[in-house]
Amino acid sequence: MAKKQLTPEEYKAKLEKKADKSKRFGAAFVKAFALFLACAIVFCASNIAFTRVSLANGTTSTAGGNTQNTGNTSNNGNDGVDWGDNTTLGDDVQTPADDNNGDPSNDGQPSGGDQTPSTPDNGNQGSGNQGDNGSGGNNATSGDNKALSNSSSAAEVVSYFNTAINKVKPNAKQITLKREVNSSAGEIDGNLPKTLSGMADSLISGNMGEKDLSTLDPGMVNATTVAQKNAMFPVENESWSSKLTADDVAKFDVKDNGKSYVITLYIKEDAPSASTAHGVGHAGKVFSVIMPNIVTDNAGPAASIIKDVQTGHKNGYVKVAVDKDTGNVTQATYYFEWTLSLKALGISLSIPFGLQKDFTIAW
C-alpha cells in the first residue's frame, strides 16, 4: 500500500507537534535534572556537615543518629564531679528549645558581680601562650593559688582557665570522650526549591543525636599518648587547648563548689568566613572549629561544583571543673553552633548545626 502523502498543511502541523513535544520534554528534563542536582547538593551538604576526619589516624567517621555507646564508654551523663549547680557531666546538652542555647546575648549576667570582659593588664595575660600558661611542667596549682569568683576580672578568669586547660594535653594521664551530640540549630536558609525542603530536613534529622563512640578509633575515645590527646581534645590536632584573651569572652561565670572551681566561658560569635581556622577569630582559639577546607576535602565528586564554602560559629561555651588544690581540669564540656554556607549550581544554602562534646580527664 502506498504511503499517504501529507499535504503541506498536515506536514507543517506534524512538525509543530513534534517541536512542541520536544520543547515540553526538554523543559521537564531540565527541571528534573535541576531537582536531581539540588538533591545531590543537599545530600552532600548534609553528609559533609557530619563528617569527622581524624588527621591522626587518617580515618573518617560519620555521626550516627540517636545511637547508644557501647563498650567502656559511658553516656549516661552521671560521671564526674558535681558542677556546683545540681548538674553533672552531660547534663548541659543543648537544643534549639533551650532558653539560652549558650548565647550570652539571650540572658542576663549571672549573679556575682561585673563580668564584662576587660582589657588585660598586659599583653601576656589571658593570651594562652604555651610558655606562659602551663603547657608543660608538673601539676602545680594554676593561677598561683589565686582565688576566683564572679568578682574577678575577665582577664584573671581567662588567664586561670588558660593555665589549667593548657596542662591537659601534655600532662594528663588519660582523656576520655564521654559523649558527642549533634543537633539542629535552626532552619535551612537559602534558595532551595520548596519541593526539597522535606527531603533536606529528613537528611539532616537522620544525622542528629548522640554519636556511637564505638565507631571511632579507640584512641579518639580514650586518649593516653600525647599524639592521641593532641588529636582528640580541643583544639583538635593542635598541641594547645586555648589561646583565649579577655576580648574573646562575651561573659563568664565562676562557681566555687568547695574542692573545685566550675568556670564557664561564653565565647563571642564569629561570622561565616572562608578563612575560619584554629587560632583565628574568637571560637578558633578554644574550639575545634569546622574549617572550610575540611568541607571541601570531604566533598568527594561534589567538590568541583561546590563554591564559596564558609563556616561560622556562635553561641559557644566551654565549661570546666578545675581542682583547686592541683589546678587540674577534671571534666569539660564544649558546645557551639556552626553554620555551613555554600553555593552550587545556582543554589545557595546555609545550614546551622550544634555540636557538643563532654570529656573527663584523669591525672
Side-chain angles (χ1 to χ4, degrees), residues 14 28 30 61 67 70 101 103 155 284 297 301 320 323:
K14 183 178 180 180
V30 170
S61 299
T67 55
T70 58
N101 224 9
D103 186 353
D297 289 348
V320 298
D323 185 281

Side-chain angles (χ1 to χ4, degrees), residues 233-250:
F233 191 71
V235 174
E236 293 174 5
N237 299 303
E238 304 288 353
S239 61
W240 50 272
S241 292
S242 177
K243 293 186 176 181
L244 287 175
T245 70
D247 289 337
D248 299 311
V249 177

Side-chain angles (χ1 to χ4, degrees), residues 294-317:
I294 295 295
V295 176
T296 54
D297 289 348
N298 289 277
S304 61
I305 61 173
I306 292 177
K307 308 295 182 184
D308 299 330
V309 176
Q310 298 184 356
T311 58
H313 298 76
K314 64 180 182 178
N315 295 345
Y317 73 85

Side-chain angles (χ1 to χ4, degrees), residues 23-330:
K23 183 178 180 180
R24 284 188 284 112
F25 173 78
F29 175 79
V30 170
K31 183 177 181 180
F33 186 64
L35 289 176
F36 169 77
L37 290 176
C39 288
I41 292 169
V42 172
F43 175 80
C44 288
S46 301
N47 184 61
I48 292 167
F50 292 97
T51 297
R52 297 289 178 265
V53 178
S54 171
L55 299 181
N57 57 28
T59 61
T60 300
S61 299
T62 54
N66 300 306
T67 55
Q68 296 297 313
N69 301 335
T70 58
N72 60 359
T73 56
S74 169
N75 62 12
N76 59 17
N78 295 320
D79 302 289
V81 302
D82 188 342
W83 281 118
D85 52 6
N86 297 319
T87 62
T88 53
L89 183 67
D91 289 343
D92 295 325
V93 173
Q94 299 293 312
T95 65
D98 286 350
D99 291 336
N100 299 330
N101 224 9
D103 186 353
S105 65
N106 289 341
D107 66 351
Q109 298 281 6
S111 60
D114 181 14
Q115 293 176 310
T116 303
S118 59
T119 302
D121 295 333
N122 57 66
N124 296 325
Q125 196 168 25
S127 66
N129 292 334
Q130 293 289 60
D132 298 331
N133 290 307
S135 63
N138 300 320
N139 296 341
T141 303
S142 70
D144 297 326
N145 283 320
K146 186 179 181 72
L148 287 184
S149 71
N150 280 336
S151 298
S152 302
S153 70
E156 290 171 336
V157 174
V158 170
S159 179
Y160 185 99
F161 170 83
N162 283 344
T163 299
I165 203 71
N166 280 325
K167 293 199 303 178
V168 171
K169 291 188 179 187
N171 296 329
K173 181 179 180 181
Q174 178 173 305
I175 307 172
T176 300
L177 173 63
K178 305 299 289 187
R179 177 157 65 173
E180 178 177 335
V181 181
N182 290 298
S183 60
S184 175
E187 297 181 351
I188 298 175
D189 187 24
N191 61 343
L192 186 69
K194 292 182 179 179
T195 53
L196 294 180
S197 297
M199 184 208 72
D201 291 338
S202 178
L203 282 171
I204 293 173
S205 64
N207 285 290
M208 293 298 145
E210 189 166 336
K211 188 166 188 171
D212 183 358
L213 301 186
S214 67
T215 63
L216 296 177
D217 182 277
M220 297 299 289
V221 179
N222 294 292
T224 56
T225 69
V226 173
Q228 290 172 342
K229 289 182 288 183
N230 286 346
M232 66 92 80
F233 191 71
V235 174
E236 293 174 5
N237 299 303
E238 304 288 353
S239 61
W240 50 272
S241 292
S242 177
K243 293 186 176 181
L244 287 175
T245 70
D247 289 337
D248 299 311
V249 177
K251 70 173 187 178
F252 66 89
D253 183 50
V254 177
K255 289 185 174 68
D256 185 342
N257 65 6
K259 294 184 177 181
S260 300
Y261 286 126
V262 178
I263 301 170
T264 307
L265 302 179
Y266 297 89
I267 310 304
K268 292 180 180 178
E269 177 179 349
D270 288 322
S273 170
S275 302
T276 300
H278 295 169
V280 176
H282 304 298
K285 294 178 182 177
V286 73
F287 294 121
S288 300
V289 294
I290 314 300
M291 296 179 286
N293 67 291
I294 295 295
V295 176
T296 54
D297 289 348
N298 289 277
S304 61
I305 61 173
I306 292 177
K307 308 295 182 184
D308 299 330
V309 176
Q310 298 184 356
T311 58
H313 298 76
K314 64 180 182 178
N315 295 345
Y317 73 85
V318 55
K319 185 175 184 178
V320 298
V322 184
D323 185 281
K324 291 166 66 176
D325 292 332
T326 64
N328 294 335
V329 176
T330 56

